Amino acid sequence: MGLHLLSSFLLALLLGSSAAQQANTDGFFVRDFLQKMGGDVPPAAGEGGDSPPSVCSWRGVFCDTSGKRVLKLSASAAGLSGEIPENTLGKLATLRHLDLSRNNITGFSSDFWGLGSSLRSLNLSGNQISGRLPNNVGNFGLLEMLDLSHNAFSGEIPTTVGSLAALRILNLTGNKLEGVIPDGFLGCRSLVVVDLSSNQLTGRIPEELGSALRNLTVLNLAGNRISGRLANFSGMASFVSLNLSGNQLQGSVQGVFQAPLRVIDLSRNQFQGHVSPVSSDSSFNWSRLEHLDLSENHLSGELFPDLNEGLSLRHLAMARNRFSQQRFPSLEKLSRLQFLNLSATGLAGGIHAGISRLSGLVVLDLSRNHLTGRIPDLGTGDLAVVDLSFNNLTGELPPALLQKLPELQRFNFSFNNLTLCSAELSLESYRSSFLGSQNDCPIAANPELLQRREKTRRWGLKVKLAVAVAVVMAVVFLLTGLVCLAVGCRRTRRWAAKQLSVREEPTTVSGPFSFQTDSTTWVADVGAAAAVPVVIFEKPLLSFTFADLLSATSHFDRGTLLAEGRFGPVYHGFLPGGLHVAVKVLVRSSSSSPEEDSGAAARELDRLGRIRHPNLVPLTGYCLAGDQRIAIYEYMENGNLQNLLHDLPLGVHATEDWSNDTWEEEEKKDGAQSITSEGQATWRFRHRIALGAARALAFLHHGCIPQIVHMDVKASSIFLDSSFEPRLSDFGLAKLAGGDLAAEIARGSPGYAPPELAGGGAATAKSDVYGFGVVLFELVTGKKPLGDDYEEGETSLVSWVRGLVKRNEVAAAVDPKVSETGSEKQMEEALRIGYLCTADSPAKRPSMQQIVGLLKDIEPIVDQ
Ligand SMILES: *[C@@H]1O[C@H](CO)[C@@H](O)[C@H](O)[C@H]1NC(C)=O
Ligand SMILES: *[C@@H]1O[C@H](CO)[C@@H](O)[C@H](O)[C@H]1NC(C)=O
Ligand SMILES: *[C@@H]1O[C@H](CO)[C@@H](O)[C@H](O)[C@H]1NC(C)=O
Ligand SMILES: *[C@@H]1O[C@H](CO)[C@@H](O)[C@H](O)[C@H]1NC(C)=O
Ligand SMILES: *[C@@H]1O[C@H](CO)[C@@H](O)[C@H](O)[C@H]1NC(C)=O
Ligand SMILES: *[C@@H]1O[C@H](CO)[C@@H](O)[C@H](O)[C@H]1NC(C)=O
Ligand SMILES: *[C@@H]1O[C@H](CO)[C@@H](O)[C@H](O)[C@H]1NC(C)=O
Ligand SMILES: *[C@@H]1O[C@H](CO)[C@@H](O)[C@H](O)[C@H]1NC(C)=O
Ligand SMILES: *[C@@H]1O[C@H](CO)[C@@H](O)[C@H](O)[C@H]1NC(C)=O
Ligand SMILES: *[C@@H]1O[C@H](CO)[C@@H](O)[C@H](O)[C@H]1NC(C)=O
Ligand SMILES: *[C@@H]1O[C@H](CO)[C@@H](O)[C@H](O)[C@H]1NC(C)=O
């Protein structure tokens, strides 16, 4: 019995090893092949006399039921390299499927093509096989799939491929095949998928392709040098996808619409003629089409009239043809559309508003047309690429699009006539995407950087303040708690009720309202005050009305009057929620036409509200009360530069004496509120004001499209916020003031107006530069532009300082009140910059962008 067991064991061992290892078995050939090509080879024999594993159990090997013959070998990405050697794979007579894709195979021995005629699929994709495709390829009579893509096969496709009557998939893309597509090719009547793209094939598409290859579904001949006309595709009932992109085909594209295609790519050829009759002439069913690309051909006439029937369209490109000038097509029904490229298609007039219904749009290219008018709302949901460059579009970007810009992959609005002023864009994208309208942006137009610096500077102060506030609050709560315990909280509640009634009282008030100041009377011709809304930009959910403005300013009481500016009176007050605001009434002159569009005013104010920069006083909101435009600004706690340099107290700050302390030290002690004027005597402080104001102007001149000319640059337009950061005010208001007032403003303020305005010239950015030069003189000399006493009988600050500069006696002009030593040179240099700014000829004055650079060069050293 023991003997019997032993002999059967030996028998099994013998049988097992014969399948795997014996010469001239499939196992032997496969093993030899893998070994010679540098692939992984399973162990030759088991440890301790175990039977070696049968070849059929190797990964990627599949055998017939006998367990001896290999039917399928899959060694994709198995690290094989070199030529397939003789007496290996060529001997696998029963092999049906061979996949050696993604290796480094460079060629094969001649006996490879002797592989049994049973081969059904061969995948050598992604190797480095070079040389001609041998005629022997025709030997595989049962072959259904041949994938030789991405190798280096060259020469012609052998006519013998025509004997592959069972071939369903042929993929030869990415080789160096040349010559014509052989007629014999049409013998492969079972073909379903053909990809011959990215070779160097020439000649024509075989004439009878359509009638020969009835089952063809996918044909890709893109990226060759095929010429001639389209074949006749009618009757190809299962034809779904055609790619002929990047060849030299000519003639009409009509033939393509005779097949039930879903994907048509005829781009980058030389197709001619009109496309408009295509859809009407044929029985083409638009609703199937998903992808249509006819771009970069010579097509003329107009676009398809019935485009809107392409309900399945996801991708539509007709770009760069020779279409005649035409209106924007209606395509609002193409709800699946993701990609729309109508660049250079002769589109004129407005962009069809229906485009806003295309909510799935990812790529939109309408560049290089003659589109005019405003950009309509776009379905911004998935939008990633927008190119509207080279048109004549005007107005602003729709707010939703503007907001979306930072998330887009790419956008381009260059060479239009668009209005844009957004501090949210990065300088780089601003520079590259809004080309062609104005100069490049200055440093100042990158407020992100400035803000960041600002934040870190204030950080330390904030922490200290926060700690102090926390301590005070804790004490207050403790005390309140004790009082409440003792007396009950009735008083507090009554107080709150009273506040509420104050808030509600004015809602019943009705107009018209009339208000008086020292110099003017203005009327708000409105009905119920509570029915006139106040727009607050950053907090659209706050619903204020004119009644709230009345209540905040005690009915525009003279006691709340801050100033009477050239545009009208300015009041201050607190809106509900603790918004501290300056309310500027842009009093309308009698000459402005009453029917002037208040919508235009609202649009202009909306635009001004979007212009943000750390050195501009932000417009918080506005109210259109009858004829009056009321602009609401953030309140600037530390007054303006005029007050600071020349006047006595107005508002919260005082200018008693110019002591020696620097304000920075003050700030460290007590926080911004208690900073008084001591520090204003330092050059450091004054330089900071000059640089901030220059940045603001540079932003308006070079960072906004169209450019904003301030028209009233002077010391009293430069305000100081709670941390004494300079902020320019009143930008853009000149445009809102109509009639006489506009004309008066255009003449400039006394002492700040450049000579060209006196001669009746128009204000330009260079007029602002002049005004800035005067402010710079004021900062360095401490003198007023007019009326101060200047030496040597001069009547104005400008002529006095310019005289000194010319005589090289600038030191005499420096404000003796400036306490620091060591900054004289920088102050003298500042006077020279002012000298450049106040040149008589506007062309000789530097740009604000250059002035920012010059001022940065004389920045005082921060460390003391
Ligand atoms: C093919 O060979 C190259 C070097 O000739 C090597 O970098 C690459 O990794 C190889 N690829 C495979 C799949 O073995
Ligand atoms: C051939 O192999 C490649 C790489 O493994 C694969 O992507 C491709 O689909 C295969 N070809 C066919 C026709 O199955
Ligand atoms: C075309 O496809 C049909 C249906 O799949 C099939 O019956 C027919 O044999 C195919 N024709 C050729 C020539 O392969
Ligand atoms: C041909 O092969 C390439 C590379 O394997 C592949 O990307 C392409 O989709 C194939 N063509 C078709 C029509 O399947
Ligand atoms: C057509 O082929 C070209 C070149 O290979 C390719 O860029 C393009 O995406 C293809 N078109 C379609 C619709 O697949
Ligand atoms: C295309 O072939 C069909 C028959 O398959 C024929 O009726 C039609 O006229 C041909 N079209 C052209 C433009 O030759
Ligand atoms: C187009 O095809 C759709 C379905 O694919 C069908 O509902 C519609 O009736 C067809 N239209 C025409 C004009 O044949
Ligand atoms: C639109 O088509 C033109 C011409 O083919 C091409 O240059 C441009 O890159 C395309 N635009 C996009 C966004 O793909
Ligand atoms: C834009 O309009 C101007 C003036 O009407 C015209 O000269 C110019 O050719 C237009 N540009 C385009 C691209 O249509
Ligand atoms: C640009 O738009 C402005 C108004 O926004 C208009 O006055 C000007 O003529 C336009 N320029 C061109 C070239 O169309
Ligand atoms: C926008 O278009 C202009 C003109 O073609 C080009 O110079 C610029 O680089 C483009 N910008 C971007 C961001 O693509």
Side-chain angles (χ1 to χ4, degrees), residues 768-820:
D768 286 354
V769 171
Y770 186 94
F772 178 80
V774 180
V775 171
L776 199 51
F777 285 162
E778 279 182 86
L779 279 166
V780 180
T781 63
K783 289 188 190 298
K784 293 180 195 166
L786 292 176
D788 239 327
D789 36 327
Y790 315 102
E791 289 128 61
E792 298 161 42
E794 294 283 4
T795 56
S796 78
L797 179 59
V798 170
S799 58
W800 175 57
V801 179
R802 287 183 67 84
L804 291 176
V805 174
K806 272 184 215 153
R807 296 195 301 276
N808 207 8
E809 295 168 6
V810 271
V814 170
D815 189 349
K817 295 192 288 293
V818 170
S819 52
E820 304 143 294

Coordinates of all heavy atoms in Angstrom, one line a residue, residues 768-820:
D768 N -4.3 115.9 -12.3 CA -4.2 115.3 -10.9 C -2.8 115.3 -10.4 O -2.5 115.6 -9.2 CB -4.7 113.9 -10.9 CG -6.3 113.8 -11.1 OD1 -6.9 114.9 -11.0 OD2 -6.8 112.7 -11.2
V769 N -1.8 115.1 -11.3 CA -0.4 115.0 -10.9 C 0.0 116.4 -10.4 O 0.7 116.5 -9.4 CB 0.5 114.6 -12.1 CG1 1.9 114.7 -11.8 CG2 0.1 113.1 -12.5
Y770 N -0.5 117.4 -11.1 CA -0.1 118.8 -10.6 C -0.7 119.0 -9.2 O 0.1 119.4 -8.3 CB -0.8 119.8 -11.6 CG -0.4 121.2 -11.3 CD1 0.7 121.8 -12.0 CD2 -1.1 122.0 -10.4 CE1 1.1 123.1 -11.7 CE2 -0.7 123.3 -10.1 CZ 0.3 123.9 -10.8 OH 0.7 125.2 -10.5
G771 N -1.9 118.7 -9.0 CA -2.5 118.9 -7.7 C -1.8 118.1 -6.6 O -1.5 118.6 -5.5
F772 N -1.3 116.9 -7.0 CA -0.6 116.1 -6.1 C 0.8 116.8 -5.7 O 1.2 116.8 -4.6 CB -0.3 114.7 -6.6 CG 0.5 113.9 -5.7 CD1 -0.1 113.2 -4.6 CD2 1.9 113.7 -5.9 CE1 0.7 112.5 -3.7 CE2 2.6 113.0 -5.0 CZ 2.1 112.3 -3.9
G773 N 1.4 117.4 -6.7 CA 2.6 118.1 -6.5 C 2.4 119.2 -5.5 O 3.3 119.4 -4.6
V774 N 1.3 119.9 -5.6 CA 1.0 121.0 -4.6 C 0.9 120.4 -3.2 O 1.5 121.0 -2.2 CB -0.2 121.8 -5.0 CG1 -0.5 122.9 -4.0 CG2 -0.1 122.3 -6.4
V775 N 0.2 119.3 -3.1 CA 0.0 118.6 -1.8 C 1.4 118.2 -1.2 O 1.7 118.4 0.0 CB -0.9 117.4 -1.9 CG1 -0.9 116.6 -0.6 CG2 -2.3 117.8 -2.3
L776 N 2.2 117.8 -2.1 CA 3.6 117.4 -1.7 C 4.4 118.6 -1.1 O 5.0 118.5 -0.1 CB 4.3 116.7 -2.9 CG 5.5 115.8 -2.6 CD1 5.2 114.8 -1.5 CD2 6.0 115.2 -3.9
F777 N 4.2 119.7 -1.8 CA 4.9 120.9 -1.3 C 4.3 121.3 0.1 O 5.1 121.6 1.0 CB 4.6 122.1 -2.3 CG 5.4 122.1 -3.5 CD1 5.0 122.8 -4.6 CD2 6.6 121.3 -3.6 CE1 5.7 122.8 -5.8 CE2 7.3 121.3 -4.8 CZ 6.9 122.0 -5.9
E778 N 3.0 121.1 0.2 CA 2.4 121.5 1.5 C 2.9 120.6 2.6 O 3.2 121.0 3.7 CB 0.9 121.2 1.5 CG 0.1 122.4 0.8 CD -1.4 122.1 0.8 OE1 -2.1 122.4 1.8 OE2 -1.9 121.5 -0.1
L779 N 3.1 119.3 2.3 CA 3.6 118.3 3.3 C 5.0 118.7 3.7 O 5.3 118.5 4.9 CB 3.5 116.9 2.7 CG 2.1 116.2 2.8 CD1 2.1 115.0 1.9 CD2 1.8 115.9 4.2
V780 N 5.8 119.1 2.8 CA 7.2 119.4 3.2 C 7.4 120.7 3.8 O 8.2 120.9 4.7 CB 8.1 119.2 1.9 CG1 9.6 119.5 2.3 CG2 8.0 117.8 1.3
T781 N 6.6 121.7 3.3 CA 6.9 123.1 3.8 C 6.0 123.5 4.9 O 6.3 124.4 5.7 CB 6.6 124.1 2.6 OG1 5.2 124.0 2.3 CG2 7.4 123.8 1.4
G782 N 4.8 122.8 5.1 CA 3.8 123.1 6.1 C 3.1 124.4 5.7 O 2.3 124.9 6.6
K783 N 3.2 124.9 4.5 CA 2.5 126.1 4.1 C 1.3 125.8 3.3 O 1.2 124.8 2.6 CB 3.5 127.0 3.4 CG 4.6 127.6 4.2 CD 5.4 128.6 3.4 CE 6.6 129.1 4.1 NZ 6.4 129.8 5.4
K784 N 0.4 126.8 3.2 CA -0.8 126.7 2.4 C -0.5 127.0 1.0 O 0.4 127.8 0.7 CB -1.9 127.6 2.9 CG -2.4 127.2 4.3 CD -3.5 128.2 4.7 CE -3.8 128.1 6.1 NZ -4.6 129.2 6.6
P785 N -1.2 126.5 0.0 CA -0.9 126.7 -1.4 C -1.1 128.2 -1.7 O -0.4 128.7 -2.6 CB -2.0 125.9 -2.2 CG -2.8 125.2 -1.2 CD -2.3 125.5 0.2
L786 N -2.0 128.9 -1.1 CA -2.2 130.3 -1.4 C -2.4 131.1 0.0 O -2.8 130.5 1.0 CB -3.5 130.5 -2.2 CG -3.6 130.0 -3.6 CD1 -5.0 130.3 -4.2 CD2 -2.5 130.7 -4.5
G787 N -2.0 132.3 0.0 CA -2.4 133.2 1.1 C -1.4 133.1 2.3 O -1.5 133.9 3.1
D788 N -0.5 132.1 2.3 CA 0.5 132.1 3.3 C 1.5 133.2 2.9 O 1.5 133.7 1.8 CB 1.2 130.7 3.4 CG 1.0 130.1 4.8 OD1 1.0 130.9 5.7 OD2 0.9 128.9 4.9
D789 N 2.4 133.5 3.9 CA 3.4 134.5 3.4 C 4.6 133.7 3.0 O 5.2 133.0 3.7 CB 3.8 135.5 4.6 CG 3.8 134.8 5.9 OD1 2.9 133.9 6.1 OD2 4.6 135.1 6.8
Y790 N 4.9 133.9 1.7 CA 6.1 133.3 1.1 C 7.2 134.4 1.0 O 6.8 135.6 0.9 CB 5.8 132.7 -0.2 CG 4.6 131.9 -0.2 CD1 3.4 132.5 -0.8 CD2 4.5 130.7 0.3 CE1 2.2 131.8 -0.7 CE2 3.3 130.0 0.4 CZ 2.2 130.5 -0.2 OH 1.0 129.8 -0.1
E791 N 8.4 134.1 1.0 CA 9.4 135.1 0.9 C 9.5 135.7 -0.5 O 9.0 135.1 -1.5 CB 10.8 134.5 1.3 CG 10.9 134.2 2.7 CD 11.4 132.8 3.0 OE1 12.5 132.4 2.6 OE2 10.6 132.0 3.6
E792 N 10.1 136.8 -0.6 CA 10.5 137.4 -1.9 C 9.3 137.7 -2.8 O 9.3 137.5 -4.0 CB 11.5 136.5 -2.7 CG 12.8 136.3 -1.9 CD 13.6 135.1 -2.5 OE1 13.6 135.0 -3.7 OE2 14.1 134.4 -1.6
G793 N 8.2 138.1 -2.1 CA 7.0 138.6 -2.9 C 6.3 137.6 -3.7 O 5.6 137.9 -4.6
E794 N 6.6 136.3 -3.5 CA 5.9 135.3 -4.3 C 4.4 135.2 -3.8 O 4.1 135.4 -2.6 CB 6.5 133.9 -4.1 CG 7.9 133.8 -4.7 CD 7.9 133.7 -6.2 OE1 6.8 133.7 -6.8 OE2 9.0 133.6 -6.8
T795 N 3.5 134.8 -4.7 CA 2.1 134.8 -4.3 C 1.6 133.4 -4.1 O 0.5 133.2 -3.6 CB 1.2 135.5 -5.4 OG1 1.5 134.8 -6.6 CG2 1.6 136.9 -5.5
S796 N 2.3 132.4 -4.6 CA 1.8 131.0 -4.4 C 2.9 130.1 -4.0 O 4.1 130.3 -4.2 CB 1.1 130.5 -5.7 OG 2.1 130.1 -6.6
L797 N 2.5 129.1 -3.3 CA 3.4 128.1 -2.8 C 4.2 127.5 -4.0 O 5.4 127.3 -3.9 CB 2.6 127.0 -2.1 CG 3.4 125.8 -1.5 CD1 4.4 126.3 -0.5 CD2 2.5 124.8 -0.8
V798 N 3.5 127.2 -5.1 CA 4.1 126.6 -6.2 C 5.2 127.4 -6.8 O 6.4 127.0 -7.0 CB 3.1 126.2 -7.3 CG1 3.8 125.8 -8.6 CG2 2.2 125.1 -6.8
S799 N 4.9 128.7 -7.0 CA 6.0 129.6 -7.6 C 7.1 129.8 -6.7 O 8.3 129.8 -7.1 CB 5.4 130.9 -8.1 OG 4.8 131.6 -7.0
W800 N 6.8 129.9 -5.4 CA 7.9 130.1 -4.4 C 8.8 128.9 -4.4 O 10.1 129.0 -4.6 CB 7.3 130.3 -3.0 CG 8.3 130.4 -1.9 CD1 9.4 131.3 -1.8 CD2 8.4 129.6 -0.7 NE1 10.1 131.1 -0.7 CE2 9.5 130.0 0.0 CE3 7.6 128.5 -0.2 CZ2 9.9 129.4 1.2 CZ3 8.0 127.9 1.0 CH2 9.1 128.4 1.7
V801 N 8.3 127.6 -4.2 CA 9.1 126.5 -4.1 C 9.9 126.2 -5.5 O 11.0 125.9 -5.5 CB 8.3 125.2 -3.7 CG1 9.2 124.0 -3.6 CG2 7.6 125.4 -2.4
R802 N 9.1 126.4 -6.5 CA 9.8 126.1 -7.8 C 11.0 127.1 -8.0 O 12.0 126.7 -8.5 CB 8.8 126.3 -9.0 CG 7.8 125.1 -9.1 CD 6.9 125.3 -10.3 NE 7.6 125.1 -11.5 CZ 7.9 124.0 -12.1 NH1 7.6 122.8 -11.5 NH2 8.5 124.0 -13.3
G803 N 10.8 128.3 -7.6 CA 11.9 129.3 -7.6 C 13.1 128.8 -6.8 O 14.3 128.8 -7.3
L804 N 12.8 128.3 -5.6 CA 13.9 127.8 -4.7 C 14.6 126.6 -5.4 O 15.8 126.5 -5.3 CB 13.4 127.4 -3.4 CG 12.9 128.6 -2.5 CD1 12.3 128.1 -1.2 CD2 14.0 129.5 -2.2
V805 N 13.8 125.7 -5.9 CA 14.4 124.5 -6.6 C 15.4 124.9 -7.7 O 16.5 124.4 -7.8 CB 13.3 123.5 -7.1 CG1 14.0 122.4 -7.8 CG2 12.5 123.0 -5.9
K806 N 14.9 125.8 -8.5 CA 15.7 126.3 -9.6 C 17.0 126.9 -9.2 O 18.0 126.7 -9.8 CB 14.9 127.3 -10.5 CG 14.0 126.7 -11.5 CD 13.4 127.8 -12.4 CE 12.0 127.3 -12.8 NZ 11.1 128.5 -13.0
R807 N 16.9 127.6 -8.0 CA 18.1 128.3 -7.5 C 18.9 127.3 -6.6 O 19.9 127.8 -6.0 CB 17.8 129.5 -6.8 CG 17.1 130.6 -7.7 CD 17.1 132.0 -7.0 NE 16.4 132.0 -5.8 CZ 15.0 132.1 -5.7 NH1 14.3 132.2 -6.8 NH2 14.4 132.1 -4.5
N808 N 18.4 126.1 -6.5 CA 19.1 125.1 -5.7 C 19.2 125.6 -4.2 O 20.2 125.4 -3.5 CB 20.5 124.8 -6.2 CG 20.9 123.4 -5.8 OD1 20.1 122.6 -5.3 ND2 22.2 123.1 -6.1
E809 N 18.1 126.2 -3.7 CA 18.0 126.6 -2.3 C 16.9 125.9 -1.6 O 16.2 126.5 -0.7 CB 17.8 128.1 -2.3 CG 19.0 128.9 -2.9 CD 18.6 130.4 -3.1 OE1 17.5 130.8 -2.7 OE2 19.4 131.2 -3.7
V810 N 16.6 124.7 -2.0 CA 15.5 124.0 -1.4 C 15.5 123.9 0.1 O 14.4 123.9 0.7 CB 15.3 122.6 -2.0 CG1 14.5 122.5 -3.2 CG2 16.7 121.9 -2.1
A811 N 16.7 123.9 0.7 CA 16.7 123.7 2.2 C 15.9 124.8 2.9 O 15.3 124.5 3.9 CB 18.2 123.7 2.6
A812 N 15.8 125.9 2.3 CA 15.1 127.0 2.9 C 13.6 126.8 3.0 O 12.8 127.4 3.7 CB 15.3 128.3 2.1
A813 N 13.1 125.8 2.2 CA 11.6 125.6 2.1 C 11.1 124.6 3.1 O 9.9 124.5 3.4 CB 11.2 125.2 0.7
V814 N 12.0 123.8 3.7 CA 11.6 122.7 4.5 C 11.0 123.2 5.8 O 11.5 124.2 6.4 CB 12.8 121.8 4.9 CG1 12.5 120.8 5.9 CG2 13.3 121.1 3.6
D815 N 9.9 122.7 6.2 CA 9.1 123.1 7.4 C 10.0 123.0 8.6 O 10.4 121.9 9.0 CB 7.9 122.1 7.5 CG 6.9 122.6 8.6 OD1 7.3 123.5 9.4 OD2 5.8 122.1 8.7
P816 N 10.2 124.1 9.3 CA 11.1 124.1 10.5 C 10.5 123.3 11.6 O 11.2 122.9 12.6 CB 11.2 125.6 10.8 CG 10.1 126.2 10.2 CD 9.7 125.4 9.0
K817 N 9.2 123.1 11.5 CA 8.5 122.4 12.6 C 8.8 120.9 12.6 O 8.5 120.2 13.5 CB 7.0 122.5 12.5 CG 6.5 124.0 12.7 CD 5.0 124.1 12.9 CE 4.2 123.9 11.7 NZ 4.4 124.9 10.6
V818 N 9.3 120.4 11.5 CA 9.7 119.0 11.4 C 10.9 118.7 12.3 O 11.9 119.3 12.2 CB 10.0 118.5 10.0 CG1 10.6 117.1 10.0 CG2 8.7 118.6 9.1
S819 N 10.6 117.8 13.2 CA 11.6 117.7 14.3 C 12.8 116.8 14.1 O 13.8 117.0 14.6 CB 10.8 117.1 15.5 OG 10.1 116.0 15.1
E820 N 12.5 115.7 13.3 CA 13.6 114.7 13.1 C 14.8 115.4 12.4 O 14.7 116.2 11.5 CB 13.2 113.5 12.2 CG 12.0 112.8 12.6 CD 11.3 112.4 11.3 OE1 10.8 113.3 10.6 OE2 11.2 111.2 11.1

